[in-house]
Amino acid sequence: MHIRLAMIVGVMFLKIELKINGKFRTAEVSASERLIDVLRQKFGLVSVKEGCGAGECGACTVIMDGEAVCSCVVPAFQADGHDILTVEGLEENGELDVIQQSFIDCDAVQCGFCTPGMIMSAKALLMKNPCPSREEIRTALAGNICRCTGYVQIIDAVETTAARIGVCRR
Amino acid sequence: MDKRSYKYIGRNVTRFDAVDKVRGRFPYLADEPFPNALFGAVLFSPHANAVVKKIDVSEASRIEGVEILTYLDAPNARYNGSEWFPGQDDYPDETVLTGHARHVGDRIALVMADTEEKARKARDLVRVEYEILPAVTLPETAADMAGMLHEDGVKSFDGSICYGDLEKAFSSAAYIESDTVTTPKIHHAAMETHSVLAIPRGDVLEVRTPCQITFGVQYSIAQVLDMPLSKIRVIKANMGGTFGGKQEVVFEVLCAWAANRLKRPVFINTTREETILSTRTRAAVKGKVETALDADGTILGRSFELIVDAGAYLTGTKKVMMAMGKKASRLYRIPALSYKGSVVRTSTTPAGACRGYGSPQIHTITEIHTDLMCRRLGFDPVQFRLKNLLGEFEEDPSGGANIGKARVIECLSRGAAAFGWEENKAPKVSGGRFFTATGFACCTHGNGYYKTKYHDFSNMSLRLLEDGSAILRASIHELGSGATTALAQIVGEVTGIDVSKITVTEADTQFTSYDSGCQASRVIYVCGECARLVSEAAVKMLTQEASKLLDRPVRFYEGGLVCEGKKLDLGAAVREIMEKRRVSIEVNFEHRPESNPASFGVHFAEVTVDKLTGLVKVNRYLAIHDIGQAINESFVRGQIYGGIQMGIGMALSEELPFDSMGIPRVRNFDKYHLVNAPDMPDPEIILIEDNEPGGPFGAKSIGEISTVPVSAAIVNAVNRALGSSLTDLPLTPAKVVEAARNMGE
Ligand code: FES
Ligand code: FES
């Protein structure tokens, strides 16, 4: 950790450096700020949603160093030196990631509020396990609540993504 | 028309907003801060029943730029946030802010600042001294304590429905059976918490809200602000789920009043805890049902006595209670019925609309009762129901609309065969502790308001544009179900215009015409039919104008314009008509339905109960629905899966309990157990599509009914597994273990 401290009008700020969606960024954060606040407010990454603020719904899920984390329970300063991926970072040259396309094709989106977090949890799973079983998908999404879809089409979308990536031989 | 030749109806067209949503670029209110808006943090009461003795804002107001409005500043006008049209007689007992807190989470003051952080910090510096009064937590004693909670002293809000000769039914009965079933207070749990933005613009007050009835929001605000409806512009904002939780007006009136008073935009956003404690819930119900049968198991009469918990304010709970009664005569043939409901207020979070509007409660009560009654009397639960279910086009003896093309008997018989009911009906035991059994439940729900006390109409206009595209100006509220896309499919089917070239608007009271709102399962049956009819009218106008233009007969055939055997380009025709005939192709149409048939569904569940831990696992599930016609089959499936998720929660794990002081035991999802992916089965779905008259291409409702039979199906399966008579929902592990312990005793 190479955190620099700074005092601005009596509040302690920490200067952090981190990689967000492939780009190096810096931010000054207070000790009480959460990663979700920094992503939404400082970097405008509003795909990161707040559903509970308590690590219980997964709406705020981002990928940190390859792991899905709830950004509402990660203090911002802890992201210093880490690599963060949000839904905004999935597109390449304006083309959707195969997981995004699969969510569309499988109709895995209703109100859409859980969708970015759901996609990031599923993405983290597929990065580690490109051929998950339906049960493994369910387990990986256990921390992401969706009130609209009953998960079925979301699980279909993750299976479809795996099939489209094409490493699976089943 | 042959269904197979449909171009769009029944097809899985991708929803319009899917791309933006997977890109994380579909902005909800909280994602797009409005310039110069004040963030409003509501000061909520920490007590269940308490009168404010002193409120001290001095410290909070020392923070620069903070604006504070307390109950002392607020208008006294009382309103009922469930009313969506003038003259509805819902008792008004709510104010924008109050000095008498009637539940934990009641609104005392609104503290505003330029940032959320500052507003919340200032809010926490407001000092309030309360005189704490006894909490009213039990519905059974609420009537006697009414005066302690509300100065009006109204004990209860009662209603009844009666028809037939009940006395004769019961006196001539071979059997009289009764059960009492309790259903829990539930949090809607839309993933987006409640928020609203109000912007004063000249003499017009603009309000953007993720709501279900813009015209209802407009009316509620007008009651408190004393402004003409025409000066209140309500715009439906992007919505992250509702399930009825955003149907009634909650923070809109407060936000509009504050913005109007300060002449600045005000944005109110809430945390999950604030949404759980301070918005709406599904009303908890305790219902006693008694059924009179003849010796063969034909229903002769049924009586109900219900007590319904409205929470701290009446809200729409009396409407919900009456809606429950209205459903009681629309599933089985019941020659005589008495329904008595009593709504009481308690010092807990208010109830209100919630997916199904009382249907899940009433059908949970009757379907659990029906299974227990069959078991006690030795009737087969499938045969018993087949004998008593309604057939097509039967009348509703309570005076409701004709039942329509009912296919519930087919749902049950096909479902029983598909699920292997006969083979699986005997419970199985494994490992000495795992009990597996099957249960099912039937249900009905409506399609709008026709023949109820509320009016029902939809007014839309369709304009065909000069490039052959189309705009449907409709007061739709997209709730996430895909309604706007489904309506475009209807327009596309009639006009032949590619759906990708059709835009369907959402409600904006300044620009879109009147509609009764996205409630009452009326969107497909009523608004969808309006979209079909306005499309037909536009096509008619187009062919007439084209005929005049060309001075030859132009017909509309197979999705396109044809003149003497030659196909005409639709866009070119519109252009030329505009240019040469100086007429634009736009029609306005108002649809006032004259039918309100029932939708039906039967759900089957196979569960395994672990006697030791009390955990219930849903292994297999089948949902079979009589929906007339799917407009978009994938959307229909999505509604059903989501409905099942909610219903399993109501059966097994979801509830909002309060202690004897009225303090909530649940404040966030750590203690509120929603069904997650590992606990959700992969349901099988069968749709019966037999064309309901009066609906667009024969379609009828699915969104609400899909959650109605779930809880009873699960509870019935658990009761078969354990031989138990559990009727107090949710069936938490503790209750299941207790029931398992009593097995065989
Ligand atoms: S908002 Fe972070 S887990 Fe719910
Ligand atoms: S799509 Fe609405 S919460 Fe998942």
Side-chain angles (χ1 to χ4, degrees), chain B residues 52 54-61 68 125-129:
Chain B
V52 178
K54 214 174 119 193
I55 184 158
D56 176 6
V57 301
S58 55
E59 207 180 329
S61 49
I68 302 171
L125 291 173
V126 176
R127 305 270 167 257
V128 189
E129 271 174 42

Side-chain angles (χ1 to χ4, degrees), chain A residues 34 36 49-61 69-73 143, chain B residues 191 668-669:
Chain A
R34 309 166 301 169
I36 185 175
K49 306 293 183 210
E50 181 156 353
C52 71
E56 299 284 346
C57 77
C60 63
T61 305
V69 297
C70 293
S71 62
C72 72
V73 290
Chain B
M191 285 295 112
N668 208 328
F669 292 146

Side-chain angles (χ1 to χ4, degrees), chain A residues 108-115 145-149 154, chain B residues 191:
Chain A
V109 180
Q110 287 187 32
C111 82
F113 204 82
C114 72
T115 306
I145 300 298
C146 175
R147 189 53 140 178
C148 299
T149 65
I154 292 174
Chain B
M191 285 295 112

Side-chain angles (χ1 to χ4, degrees), chain B residues 324-335:
Chain B
M324 289 171 64
K326 286 278 180 194
K327 299 291 177 297
S329 51
R330 294 177 70 81
L331 182 60
Y332 299 107
R333 202 170 299 107
I334 302 176

Side-chain angles (χ1 to χ4, degrees), chain B residues 135-318:
Chain B
V136 182
T137 54
L138 299 176
E140 291 81 356
T141 51
D144 292 335
M145 293 175 75
M148 269 182 215
L149 192 61
H150 281 275
E151 290 69 15
D152 60 36
V154 180
K155 287 182 177 301
S156 63
F157 300 83
D158 300 342
S160 62
I161 297 167
C162 286
Y163 65 79
D165 189 344
L166 196 74
E167 226 180 271
K168 190 171 141 225
F170 275 78
S171 60
S172 63
Y175 308 105
I176 294 173
E177 286 290 323
S178 118
D179 289 284
T180 299
V181 178
T182 312
T183 65
K185 191 186 250 309
I186 278 178
H187 173 48
H188 300 79
M191 285 295 112
E192 178 204 30
T193 55
H194 279 242
S195 60
V196 52
L197 171 68
I199 310 159
R201 295 189 192 270
D203 65 340
V204 171
L205 183 61
E206 179 180 313
V207 177
R208 301 185 194 172
T209 169
C211 67
Q212 294 182 227
I213 320 167
T214 43
F215 293 97
V217 175
Q218 187 186 43
Y219 169 59
S220 284
I221 293 170
Q223 285 180 82
V224 173
L225 292 193
D226 198 21
M227 284 169 79
L229 291 168
S230 64
K231 298 293 178 191
I232 300 163
R233 175 182 183 189
V234 181
I235 302 173
K236 153 72 175 56
N238 285 344
M239 171 187 266
T242 168
F243 315 104
K246 295 167 184 162
Q247 176 170 327
E248 295 187 7
V249 170
V250 181
F251 296 111
E252 286 92 338
V253 185
L254 171 64
C255 192
W257 165 69
N260 191 50
R261 184 164 160 142
L262 301 178
K263 295 287 171 248
R264 269 189 77 175
V266 174
F267 172 57
I268 294 179
N269 196 13
T270 54
T271 63
R272 176 60 53 187
E273 176 175 343
E274 291 166 350
T275 290
I276 289 178
L277 299 182
S278 312
T279 64
R280 295 286 183 265
T281 59
R282 183 186 292 289
V285 179
K286 184 172 186 177
K288 181 180 176 207
V289 50
E290 199 162 31
T291 306
L293 302 172
D294 75 5
D296 314 326
T298 301
I299 299 174
L300 301 174
R302 183 169 264 183
S303 76
F304 292 88
E305 263 174 53
L306 282 85
I307 176 155
V308 181
D309 182 358
Y313 296 96
L314 181 62
T315 66
T317 310
K318 182 163 181 206

Side-chain angles (χ1 to χ4, degrees), chain B residues 416-427:
Chain B
F419 204 67
W421 165 258
E422 275 304 320
E423 306 86 277
N424 291 300
K425 71 179 180 187

